[in-house]
């Protein structure tokens, strides 16, 4: 298998004449086709809704596109709630899934009519003290502990995660919430990250569906939705096979018919909260090679760095790199591809076989559409880069300008130093 850029070198050169590198670029056509496929995959469930994980990519232009396909917003902070509200997402089109939550964030979520997803049983009293009441519709996050396996493969270790309630706690939480006036309930769980397997959602769904049947029977609550959260991954490496969302949707459908329907729960809505799957493959970081270094290893230095794409430095994550115009050249040179941060982990690739790279070459770093720009930061005084939307008609639009030094120093306004620099 191979990974091909969704944009040509000629188009990128046209864009870079107006937008200096580095920048993130997004593929409108790919975003739309994928969002449509997700809706079709779960069309069998009348109440289905994908709540796009805003943390993955908080750009209004992209979220608006997803909203055209019925997506809502999954928020985890005050500012994400504010953004969703400003974009016109109303009430139950906003899911608030947070942890270690400040009171002001619960207050705003309640004011907006968002569905509040409680991460911990102690948050019930905290929420009631904050609002003065418990919402009629509420959700709780579940963590079964131990290991999460598909067949014999360990996918992740929920028992080591800070999120969610134990089995005993979620039963107690539903009883307490019911006594405090809650009338509609939801269950949420996230048990593995970036799974490249069509079996993840169906396996998770079976666990949650069986729990839902038991909760409704033993506690006497009305469960109206089950949120499978995110975790559906993308193939970062060229030798990985992509998930098939239609196969995934049908797998969940099969378990739904086996577990929920016989229990008289065939009206339960299915929610998802995907981020990576929705935007990841449809974004890339575009950077230019500006230096070469020949010491104990061969280095290519780019004008982008970890502040533009943190995942390789933070996790050692693999992101495929295409050298624009040299996609068909032999990969016969080994490089470390680096940025300019004063940190040795500021590397997009280590010992990567690539075509010969010359100064001035454009590099297309794949699969940066989720947890790319959004994880950016300002270490070393680096400035966040621009974001560009490649439109379906071939034109492009800057959907976020690059930061300037004035943006970086903005919170120092009023100080003598700021005045010396800018006034």
């Amino acid at each position: 298998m191979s990974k091909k850029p969704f944009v040509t070198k000629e188009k990128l050169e046209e864009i870079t004449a107006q937008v200096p590198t580095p920048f993130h670029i997004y593929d409108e056509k790919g975003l739309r086709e994928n969002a449509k496929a997700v809706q079709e995959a779960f069309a069998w469930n009348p109440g289905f809704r994908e709540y796009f994980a805003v943390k993955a990519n908080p750009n209004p232009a992209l979220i608006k596109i997803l909203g055209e396909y019925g997506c809502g917003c999954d928020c985890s902070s005050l500012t994400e709630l504010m953004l969703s509200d400003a974009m016109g997402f109303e009430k139950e089109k906003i899911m608030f899934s947070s942890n270690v939550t400040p009171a002001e964030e619960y207050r705003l979520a309640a004011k907006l009519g968002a569905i509040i997803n409680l991460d911990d049983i102690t948050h019930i009293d905290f929420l009631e003290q904050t609002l003065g009441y418990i919402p009629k519709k509420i959700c709780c996050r579940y963590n079964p502990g131990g290991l999460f396996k598909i067949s014999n493969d360990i996918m992740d270790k929920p028992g080591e995660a800070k999120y969610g309630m134990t089995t005993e706690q979620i039963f107690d939480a539903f009883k307490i919430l019911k006594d405090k006036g809650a009338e509609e309930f939801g269950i949420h769980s996230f048990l593995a990250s970036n799974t490249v397997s069509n079996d993840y959602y169906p396996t998770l769904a079976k666990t949650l569906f069986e729990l839902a049947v038991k909760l409704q029977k033993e506690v006497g609550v009305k469960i109206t939705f089950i949120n499978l959260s995110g975790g559906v991954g993308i193939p970062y490496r060229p030798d990985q096979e992509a998930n098939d969302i239609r196969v995934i949707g049908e797998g969940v459908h099969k378990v739904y018919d086996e577990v929920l329907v016989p229990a008289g729960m065939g009206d339960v809505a299915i929610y998802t909260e995907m981020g990576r799957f929705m935007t990841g493959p449809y974004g890339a970081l575009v950077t230019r090679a500006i230096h070469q270094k020949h010491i104990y290893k061969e280095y290519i230095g780019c004008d982008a760095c970890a502040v533009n794409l943190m995942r390789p430095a933070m996790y050692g994550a693999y992101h495929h790199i295409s050298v624009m115009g040299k996609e068909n050249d032999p990969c016969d040179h080994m490089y470390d591809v680096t940025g300019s941060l004063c940190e040795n982990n500021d590397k997009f690739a280590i010992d990567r076989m690539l075509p010969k790279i010359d100064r001035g070459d454009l590099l297309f770093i794949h699969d940066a559409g989720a947890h790319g720009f959004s994880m950016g930061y300002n270490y070393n005084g680096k400035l966040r880069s621009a974001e560009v939307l490649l439109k379906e008609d071939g034109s492009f639009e800057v959907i976020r300008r690059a930061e300037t030094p004035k943006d970086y120093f903005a919170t120092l306004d009023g100080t003598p130093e700021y005045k010396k620099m800018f006034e």
Side-chain angles (χ1 to χ4, degrees):
M1 294 178 67
S2 63
K3 279 186 172 288
K4 296 181 180 179
F6 54 73
V7 61
T8 65
K9 179 189 176 189
E10 291 70 29
K11 176 57 71 171
L12 283 182
E13 292 289 11
E14 177 189 337
I15 296 171
T16 58
Q18 298 181 43
V19 186
T21 53
F23 56 80
H24 286 81
I25 187 168
Y26 305 103
D27 176 22
E28 180 182 6
K29 183 173 183 290
L31 284 167
R32 289 186 178 279
E33 289 176 351
N34 187 57
K36 184 171 180 285
V38 169
Q39 296 302 319
E40 290 174 352
F42 288 90
W44 56 267
N45 183 259
F48 172 75
R49 176 165 287 135
E50 156 63 16
Y51 288 86
F52 173 65
V54 176
K55 61 181 170 286
N57 196 317
N59 191 294
L62 306 183
I63 297 172
K64 282 178 184 174
I65 290 172
L66 299 179
E68 292 177 23
Y69 296 86
C71 297
C73 290
D74 167 46
C75 300
S76 59
S77 68
L78 184 77
T79 49
E80 290 180 0
L81 286 167
M82 291 172 64
L83 178 63
S84 301
D85 179 43
M87 293 178 62
F89 288 91
E90 296 180 346
K91 297 185 177 179
E92 294 185 4
K93 282 200 170 182
I94 302 175
M95 179 76 62
F96 185 52
S97 298
S98 61
N99 66 97
V100 195
T101 310
E104 65 174 336
E105 299 191 2
Y106 276 142
R107 279 193 287 267
L108 179 56
K111 179 182 176 183
L112 298 179
I115 300 172
I116 293 175
N117 180 24
L118 296 175
D119 180 66
D120 187 65
I121 191 169
T122 64
H123 291 187
I124 297 173
D125 286 342
F126 183 78
L127 180 65
E128 186 175 36
Q129 290 163 14
T130 298
L131 303 181
Y133 64 93
I134 290 294
K136 297 294 185 186
K137 190 170 189 174
I138 195 87
C139 184
C140 289
R141 186 167 185 167
Y142 176 57
N143 182 338
L147 302 175
F148 181 75
K149 297 182 179 181
I150 296 178
S151 297
N152 292 319
D153 295 329
I154 297 174
M155 306 301 289
D156 219 322
K157 301 176 181 179
E160 296 181 7
K162 69 175 183 175
Y163 310 107
M165 305 181 196
T166 67
T167 303
E168 183 181 358
Q169 286 174 341
I170 202 167
F171 275 82
D172 289 342
F174 273 41
K175 290 172 186 173
I176 294 167
L177 288 164
K178 180 186 176 187
D179 290 342
K180 290 182 179 292
E183 297 175 356
E184 295 183 51
F185 293 80
I187 307 171
H188 172 286
S189 194
F190 177 91
L191 299 186
S193 179
N194 192 39
T195 59
V196 188
S197 166
N198 292 330
D199 293 329
Y200 170 61
Y201 259 3
T203 304
L204 171 62
K206 187 172 190 297
T207 297
L208 295 185
F209 294 170
E210 289 173 349
L211 175 66
V213 170
K214 197 171 181 183
L215 277 165
Q216 185 153 305
K217 181 179 179 181
E218 295 184 15
V219 184
V221 294
K222 174 62 176 174
I223 294 174
T224 58
F225 68 89
I226 293 172
N227 190 335
L228 302 179
S229 188
V232 177
I234 61 174
Y236 285 100
R237 295 179 179 272
D239 58 350
Q240 290 179 301
E241 187 173 346
N243 284 322
D244 186 330
I245 196 62
R246 290 181 172 84
V247 171
I248 291 170
E250 194 49 44
V252 175
H253 189 183
K254 182 173 182 291
V255 180
Y256 189 99
D257 286 347
E258 290 172 354
V259 180
L260 290 181
V261 172
M265 297 174 66
D267 58 347
V268 172
I270 300 301
Y271 296 161
T272 57
E273 286 176 359
M274 294 181 286
R276 193 190 316 264
F277 185 81
M278 299 304 293
T279 59
Y282 313 107
L285 175 60
V286 178
T287 180
R288 201 177 286 278
I290 59 173
H291 286 290
Q292 296 178 345
K293 186 169 186 175
H294 316 285
I295 49 172
Y296 306 106
K297 300 181 77 172
E298 292 293 306
Y299 293 95
I300 296 295
C302 303
D303 56 9
C305 61
V307 305
N308 306 106
L309 180 61
M310 190 186 202
R311 296 185 73 255
M314 187 176 187
Y315 306 122
Y318 180 94
H319 279 263
H320 199 64
I321 298 174
S322 292
V323 184
M324 300 304 294
K326 300 181 179 179
E327 295 91 338
N328 297 320
D329 290 5
C331 295
D332 52 6
H333 285 63
M334 182 182 287
Y335 297 112
D336 280 15
V337 181
T338 79
S340 60
L341 288 187
C342 300
E343 295 290 341
N344 197 47
N345 68 348
D346 181 23
K347 297 178 179 180
F348 295 115
I350 298 173
D351 296 335
R352 184 77 61 87
M353 298 303 296
L354 292 164
K356 182 179 183 299
I357 299 175
D358 299 301
R359 283 181 60 191
D361 280 348
L362 285 171
L363 307 185
F364 182 97
I365 304 180
H366 292 253
D367 301 314
H371 311 291
F373 180 93
S374 63
M375 292 178 74
Y377 55 107
N378 287 122
Y379 181 54
N380 277 183
K382 297 293 185 180
L383 304 175
R384 290 179 175 86
S385 50
E387 292 182 288
V388 175
L389 179 65
L390 179 66
K391 304 184 93 169
E392 286 187 292
D393 63 5
S395 64
F396 68 91
E397 177 186 357
V398 177
I399 56 175
R400 190 192 301 268
R401 66 164 174 83
E403 283 185 335
T404 67
K406 196 166 186 178
D407 295 317
Y408 178 77
F409 291 112
T411 52
L412 295 176
D413 61 351
T415 67
E417 294 80 8
Y418 183 90
K419 291 176 181 177
K420 186 175 181 180
M421 287 187 289
F422 299 111
E423 295 182 4

